[in-house]
Amino acid sequence: MARWFRRKQEDDSTESAGENTIESSQSEESSSETGDLSVENGVEPASETTSGIFTYMRSRLQKTRKTLAGQIDRLVLGKKEIDQDVLEELEEVLLTSDLGVATTQKLIASMEEKLHRRELTDADRLRIHLKDEIRRFLKVEASALDVTGHKPFVILAVGVNGVGKTTTLAKLAFRYKQAGLRVMLVAADTFRAAATEQLSNWADRVEVELVKQSSGADPAAVVYDAMAAAQARGVDVVLIDTAGRLHTKVNLMEELKKVKRIISRQMDTAPHEVLLILDATTGQNAISQTHLFHQELTVTGLVLTKLDGTAKGGIVAGACQEFQIPIRFIGLGEGLDDLKEFDPEQFVAALF
């Protein structure tokens, strides 16, 4: 690991800009809000078979697979047996794939134990055990996201600016509407001038209800009105968009906690899901964001966006393992049907 840290120190100036990049990416998020609107019937396209979905996912995870599985293949190429030197090199591969230090150390410790038991006899056994361990990390014990369990079922979406919150909520609205549910979007991000307009455009395109107020309005007041309207109209699913900015801003967290309290006053079991939206391309910054949002708001589910455009997909395993929060969905493209339910089995198979 020391070798990896020496290399990482050389890149610190680039990596330290991560949070500022997130904050400055608002214009990028704004342009992506008008992305591909191609749709297919059903919550999941009916024509897609299991093998078709797997092939699609594998193609979209190409960058991460090249970084992780590709490097592992090169590492063990020609190796007749696995030894401690191979595991040290494997450790570096896992770290550069953004699994995170804690997750990597657990994986390597498990591999070392199997090596001492003579269970890692060759490269094939190494791959099998590595896949099994990553799969185990991803299988977080949690109840399924059943939006029919309450009416309305309230989902509060949080996350820093630029991660794709608004787009993700639009895709969820499309998903649930296609399932025959009555959906309401709530524009509680009243700080960013374009946020309400973006969500309004999505609501029109997906053809769902929208509750909004003027820019600068109290987000808690918007949510209060939305909850009253949803209960009066018999809405099935309420999707609440919130302000981002930086997760280190105290005022943001206090505002989000206030919004959450207002929701609970209107419906004592709500919010039924607090979804933290993370941009997979930010790598380890996503871990720090998860820590702070979970500490303040008790996050119940994760959404990893932009997995199709990054080689840092290892962050999926890192976030699951470290916080024991289930990943609900992953974003694999700009289309409305490119938000997929997360399946640990398919994900690991697609990575290797």
Side-chain angles (χ1 to χ4, degrees), residues 173-239:
F174 168 71
R175 182 186 188 88
Y176 294 137
K177 184 173 186 292
Q178 290 295 302
L181 301 174
R182 185 172 180 177
V183 181
M184 174 184 286
L185 286 169
V186 182
D189 180 358
T190 60
F191 293 97
R192 193 161 56 91
T196 300
E197 181 182 353
Q198 289 167 357
L199 197 65
S200 181
N201 289 338
W202 278 119
D204 290 341
R205 292 168 183 175
V206 182
E207 298 182 335
V208 297
E209 298 173 55
L210 172 71
V211 171
K212 64 180 181 178
Q213 291 186 15
S214 60
S215 179
D218 182 358
V222 178
V223 170
Y224 181 91
D225 289 348
M227 289 295 298
Q231 290 170 315
R233 300 175 193 173
V235 169
D236 296 304
V237 181
V238 177
L239 302 169

Side-chain angles (χ1 to χ4, degrees), residues 62-210:
Q62 181 178 4
K63 291 184 179 180
T64 295
R65 187 172 67 255
K66 183 177 179 181
T67 300
L68 181 58
Q71 288 190 76
I72 292 174
D73 288 342
R74 289 190 292 274
L75 170 63
V76 299
L77 182 64
K79 296 284 196 310
K80 294 183 178 180
E81 63 179 25
I82 304 301
D83 55 22
Q84 189 63 41
D85 289 340
V86 172
L87 293 187
E88 288 182 7
E89 293 183 61
L90 175 63
E91 183 177 39
E92 184 173 354
V93 168
L94 297 176
L95 287 167
T96 56
S97 297
D98 269 270
L99 269 79
V101 174
T103 302
T104 295
Q105 287 178 335
K106 287 193 174 184
L107 279 170
I108 293 300
S110 176
M111 294 301 105
E112 287 176 337
E113 183 178 345
K114 288 177 171 56
L115 179 64
H116 295 153
R117 293 178 179 176
R118 301 185 182 279
E119 296 177 12
L120 293 183
T121 52
D122 54 34
D124 287 340
R125 297 303 302 170
L126 175 64
R127 289 191 193 91
I128 290 172
H129 285 304
L130 189 60
K131 287 169 66 174
D132 287 344
E133 286 298 304
I134 293 177
R135 190 181 297 111
R136 184 171 64 83
F137 285 165
L138 294 174
K139 289 184 175 180
V140 176
E141 288 190 14
S143 57
L145 184 59
D146 178 13
V147 296
T148 64
H150 299 273
K151 186 169 183 173
F153 191 95
V154 182
I155 297 177
L156 177 65
V158 298
V160 301
N161 280 340
V163 297
K165 285 195 306 295
T166 306
T167 305
T168 297
L169 287 182
K171 292 176 180 179
L172 284 174
F174 168 71
R175 182 186 188 88
Y176 294 137
K177 184 173 186 292
Q178 290 295 302
L181 301 174
R182 185 172 180 177
V183 181
M184 174 184 286
L185 286 169
V186 182
D189 180 358
T190 60
F191 293 97
R192 193 161 56 91
T196 300
E197 181 182 353
Q198 289 167 357
L199 197 65
S200 181
N201 289 338
W202 278 119
D204 290 341
R205 292 168 183 175
V206 182
E207 298 182 335
V208 297
E209 298 173 55
L210 172 71

